[in-house]
Amino acid sequence: MSVTIFVPRETTALALGADEVAARIQGEAAARGVEVELVRNGSRGLFWLEPLVEVETAAGRIAYGPVEPGDVAGLFDAGLLEGSNMPPLCQGPTESIPYLQAQQRLTFSRIGVTDPLSIDDYYAHDGFRGLRRALGREPQAIVDEVKASGLRGRGGAAFPTGIKWQTVLGAPAEQKYIVCNADEGDSGTFADRLVMECDPYLLIEGMTIAGLAVGATQGYVYLRSEYPLAHEIFNEAIARAEAAGYLGADILGSGRRFDLEVRLGAGAYICGEETSLLESLEGKRGMVRFKPPLPALEGLFGQPTVVNNVLSLAAVPFILSRGATAYADYGMGRSRGTLALQLAGNVKRGGLVELAFGTSLRELMEDFGGGTASERPLRAVQVGGPLCAYLPESQWDLPLDYEAFAEVGAGVGHGGVVMFDDTVDMAEQARFAMEFCSVESCGKCTPCRIGAVRGVEVIDRIRAGDNREANLVLLGDLCETMVDGSLCAMGGMTPFPVQSVMKHFPDDLQR
Amino acid sequence: MLNSTFQPWTPQLVRDEIDALKHKPGALLPILHAIQDRCGHVPHEAVPIIAESLQLTRAEVHGVISFYHHFRTAPPGRHVLQICRAEACQARGSRALEMHAREVLGIDYHQTTADREITLEPVYCLGNCACGPSLRIGDSIHGRVSPEKFDRLVDEMTTQVLEVS
């Protein structure tokens, strides 16, 4: 009888040797004359255990990790195929691993469980239920469902998704578009990548529902070129979905059309900003557009366009299949549903943690993350990407909620949590924020284009002790100018990490 | 794609890629990707051909090529090695890795080793943020890259397998 073994095919697992582990398993099975069915699943997102090998047994899937290629023969000897409990690699039944069990996975319920490219697998795990529901409903009813769910854009701006869809639905036009922002450029974030690599049909389903809701027949996924595996897997998923009738001219025989294409970015952080992204999709430099007009009214090629992040669109199938209330029941205040948190940087147990809004940052970093990887004291945490503040210990008890974070000048952004231990030089981090902006600014407005360059220079003078007090005042002024005068969030938010260093870690600027 | 097997560019190759993609709305980026994937760079001589085919000015095409970090106008080395410079990797020692890489290779970012083996580039996030420092060689991402692991990877890249007849 053949035994099913799962070895992830996902960027982080591969970066840690999953392909070699898979090859060793096949070699070992062949040498021993045992029949093994090797499934390349997605990752569960428990990265400190990657490569995480799972074995299907009568008692469910048993997990082993982190498995190095050299461990494989020993695992076979010790009874891997029977799911034997062998410390330290055996983690027991996968679903009982506390890190996973303590999560509230709505969007990510399938990742790591299924073979990402198998439509049958997707279908067997509740896939396309939301799409089927949507096909039987009027566009307005779909939009109403999304509105009632309280879903807000997960890309960072947190704008209510249903309102955006309503605007596009109400805009008369021959052609409308759904554009998925998959330019996940924030350091510390990888949830979009996980969706595309580990559960690609989820995004296809979400985008198709969006198309049905607003009357758009063409979708584009704007994917960053830094994600080659996501590109490969998602393109294959589109081809298979088309062949199976889930995309194309006649979705599931309904007579409704939706086509989908991936467009590759070319290494420009600014193209995560929605108007720059649209320019780039049109084949131009990714220069920010003035708003208004809103993309919902005049977006891609001048037509009404829904621009949503991967995670926003990936939340939609659950909302349609289980109902708005089921989603809205999770969360706190005006932050409804779940948030895909990504534990990164100097963390012992890094990975994806999907939880309802409201968990405190400290719980997340300690209970899930287990503290720093270096086992040194944690000193600073950057939540929400390179344009967001560094939080000192006094702010770690904040609940993860859009409003609570906004109140202290911080942001939840795309849910990335990057931890730093006490060896970090915060002046260096402040300098990097400005340097990053100077590399990545689109150049359209002066505060961002010139301000970032001057920011690096001023911080260099401060660090060199050159006229320090006067330069600190100048840095404060420069930050204010950029916040107030920049055209978009790139220049407008670059000062946030810098200001947070000035406020919470002033000693580092005095060394 | 950051592959190591590139073809020499010809006007015909450029025209073929343009013809295959110009029907797409907003075709310029896909065309530039296609050319660079095959030749390793977008040669200056391709600019007027692209401009004419898409009815753009040369300045417009050049402006797009130079805007994006991914596109290059000179051929890279046999391997393109990108080191992640972003915050999550910084928190795990990428600054030390960068210094080590520059020292070992004897080049700075955007440069190619004298033997044309390796081009070194910065990258801002490969999405491997829980297991940094990260780097990318070709289309492969590597995690938890210590200086020792870096040396091993460079060795593997530059060691030629000798055919013994």
Side-chain angles (χ1 to χ4, degrees):
Chain A
M1 201 186 73
S2 147
V3 180
T4 305
I5 299 185
F6 299 85
V7 181
R9 177 170 175 253
E10 170 273 341
T11 294
T12 292
L14 295 183
L16 300 172
D19 269 347
E20 206 186 333
V21 169
R24 293 277 186 107
I25 287 173
Q26 271 174 324
E28 204 61 41
R32 291 166 193 247
V34 288
E35 222 177 291
V36 159
E37 192 200 342
L38 192 72
V39 177
R40 301 305 300 267
N41 58 333
S43 171
R44 304 265 187 167
L46 279 54
F47 288 151
W48 82 101
L49 292 177
E50 291 293 0
L52 182 79
V53 173
E54 291 177 80
V55 178
E56 182 95 68
T57 73
R61 278 156 75 161
I62 308 294
Y64 302 85
V67 176
E68 304 223 359
D71 296 326
V72 171
L75 283 170
F76 269 79
D77 288 340
L80 174 76
L81 300 181
E82 293 81 48
S84 306
N85 178 21
M86 55 198 110
L89 293 184
C90 184
Q91 306 293 328
T94 317
E95 304 285 346
S96 309
I97 298 174
Y99 194 96
L100 195 56
Q101 209 174 25
Q103 297 191 32
Q104 291 155 308
R105 286 200 169 175
L106 309 183
T107 298
F108 288 92
S109 62
R110 248 181 317 262
I111 69 154
V113 177
T114 55
D115 169 354
L117 284 169
S118 164
I119 287 188
D120 290 345
D121 239 8
Y122 185 69
Y123 192 80
H125 289 82
D126 289 343
F128 294 122
R129 274 181 47 173
L131 175 62
R132 283 173 195 279
R133 293 259 165 88
L135 280 168
R137 297 166 96 168
E138 290 298 315
Q140 186 62 57
I142 305 173
V143 173
D144 287 344
E145 193 82 54
V146 173
K147 271 195 218 164
S149 73
L151 177 66
R152 291 163 72 180
R154 295 291 188 253
F159 188 80
T161 303
I163 306 283
K164 194 183 274 186
W165 288 21
Q166 186 69 63
T167 308
V168 178
L169 173 60
E174 286 289 305
Q175 179 68 56
K176 299 177 186 179
Y177 296 102
I178 307 296
V179 170
C180 172
N181 182 345
D183 191 57
E184 184 173 54
D186 286 355
S187 177
T189 63
F190 41 77
D192 293 356
R193 178 179 67 67
L194 284 174
V195 168
M196 298 185 72
E197 292 178 359
C198 307
D199 200 12
Y201 299 117
L202 177 67
L203 178 57
I204 291 174
E205 185 180 356
M207 289 185 74
T208 309
I209 294 169
L212 295 171
V214 304
T217 55
Q218 176 69 48
Y220 289 101
V221 174
Y222 186 87
L223 175 66
R224 65 203 313 259
S225 57
E226 291 85 346
Y227 284 179
L229 184 67
H231 188 217
E232 183 190 334
I233 291 179
F234 198 74
N235 262 334
E236 175 66 23
I238 288 177
R240 293 193 191 191
E242 273 170 6
Y246 290 101
L247 282 173
D250 183 19
I251 303 164
L252 294 178
S254 64
R256 310 287 297 274
R257 176 177 204 113
F258 192 69
D259 294 303
L260 195 51
E261 185 184 333
V262 178
R263 286 288 175 91
L264 216 47
Y269 178 77
I270 191 61
C271 291
E273 195 281 336
E274 63 176 2
T275 62
S276 297
L277 186 157
L278 294 173
E279 290 285 302
S280 187
L281 263 178
E282 291 181 3
K284 303 172 192 160
R285 286 178 288 162
M287 303 275 277
V288 171
R289 291 180 187 172
F290 292 96
K291 286 196 274 194
L294 294 171
L297 297 171
E298 285 181 42
L300 187 62
F301 304 115
Q303 301 302 307
T305 304
V306 168
V307 185
N308 276 154
N309 177 258
V310 174
L311 294 179
S312 319
L313 291 160
V316 167
F318 178 94
I319 292 165
L320 264 290
S321 102
R322 307 277 283 278
T325 314
Y327 192 76
D329 279 348
Y330 292 87
M332 66 179 279
R334 286 173 50 225
S335 300
R336 308 312 312 172
T338 56
L339 179 62
L341 293 150
Q342 297 129 84
L343 271 174
N346 196 335
V347 57
K348 190 176 286 175
R349 296 195 296 261
L352 176 86
V353 181
E354 183 177 354
L355 287 172
F357 283 91
T359 313
S360 84
L361 192 54
R362 195 189 294 273
E363 280 175 86
L364 180 73
M365 296 190 296
E366 288 176 3
D367 299 354
F368 285 91
T372 61
S374 59
E375 304 203 329
R376 298 183 62 94
L378 185 66
R379 178 142 188 258
V381 189
Q382 189 175 33
V383 180
L387 306 180
C388 286
Y390 286 96
L391 309 180
E393 180 162 13
S394 61
Q395 294 179 338
W396 298 346
D397 291 305
L398 279 177
L400 283 151
D401 162 269
Y402 293 127
E403 274 70 37
F405 266 62
E407 240 171 67
V408 300
V412 173
H414 188 45
V417 176
V418 178
M419 295 161 56
F420 291 82
D421 73 11
D422 63 349
T423 61
V424 66
D425 175 352
M426 296 307 293
E428 183 86 62
Q429 298 311 119
R431 182 188 193 277
F432 180 79
M434 287 291 189
E435 185 189 355
F436 182 67
C437 183
S438 73
V439 173
E440 297 293 342
S441 170
C442 85
K444 185 154 181 165
C445 71
T446 314
C448 176
R449 184 182 67 245
I450 306 291
V453 178
R454 295 290 171 264
V456 173
E457 294 166 359
V458 176
I459 293 173
D460 279 346
R461 288 202 294 272
I462 292 168
R463 296 180 75 203
D466 171 7
N467 218 349
R468 180 176 281 142
E469 292 313 313
N471 275 311
L472 278 167
V473 173
L474 184 61
L475 182 61
D477 286 351
L478 176 66
C479 284
E480 265 180 54
T481 305
M482 289 175 73
V483 170
D484 295 338
S486 298
L487 198 53
C488 82
M490 179 87 215
M493 290 174 67
T494 285
F496 292 170
V498 180
Q499 289 169 323
S500 70
V501 171
M502 294 174 79
K503 185 171 175 192
H504 300 297
F505 305 93
D507 293 352
D508 289 28
L509 290 163
Q510 299 288 348
R511 289 200 279 230
Chain B
M1 225 181 353
L2 302 170
N3 255 338
S4 52
T5 45
F6 297 122
Q7 289 170 255
W9 94 277
T10 63
Q12 193 55 48
L13 180 153
V14 169
R15 277 194 204 98
D16 288 348
E17 295 299 344
I18 296 170
D19 289 342
L21 293 165
K22 68 186 281 188
H23 65 281
K24 284 178 184 276
L28 183 52
L29 256 67
I31 287 171
L32 295 175
H33 271 295
I35 295 170
Q36 181 158 305
D37 283 352
R38 283 185 68 181
C39 309
H41 69 296
V42 182
H44 291 296
E45 296 88 336
V47 172
I49 306 175
I50 299 168
E52 194 181 333
S53 304
L54 298 186
Q55 293 182 306
L56 296 168
T57 65
R58 292 180 191 193
E60 281 170 316
V61 177
H62 174 74
V64 169
I65 295 169
S66 59
F67 182 86
Y68 295 96
H69 300 306
H70 179 82
F71 297 127
R72 60 175 85 82
T73 49
R78 206 160 65 86
H79 301 280
V80 176
L81 192 159
Q82 298 182 317
I83 299 182
C84 179
R85 294 197 66 211
E87 287 86 348
C89 281
Q90 288 167 16
R92 300 181 77 101
S94 69
R95 288 182 207 275
L97 179 67
E98 289 180 79
M99 284 203 318
H100 177 81
R102 284 197 284 238
E103 205 178 290
V104 168
L105 300 176
I107 50 171
D108 205 340
Y109 284 125
H110 309 295
Q111 294 180 351
T112 301
T113 53
D115 58 7
R116 309 277 321 152
E117 281 288 318
I118 297 172
T119 296
L120 185 65
E121 288 179 355
V123 65
Y124 297 90
C125 199
L126 295 163
N128 189 38
C129 314
C131 301
S134 305
L135 56 78
R136 174 177 176 181
I137 302 166
D139 277 350
S140 301
I141 317 288
H142 300 266
R144 296 194 194 122
V145 183
S146 59
E148 297 73 39
K149 188 167 173 182
F150 180 87
D151 294 347
R152 230 171 27 245
L153 289 166
V154 168
D155 267 353
E156 282 167 24
M157 268 189 286
T158 51
T159 305
Q160 305 275 359
V161 180
L162 288 180
E163 297 280 340
V164 183
S165 56

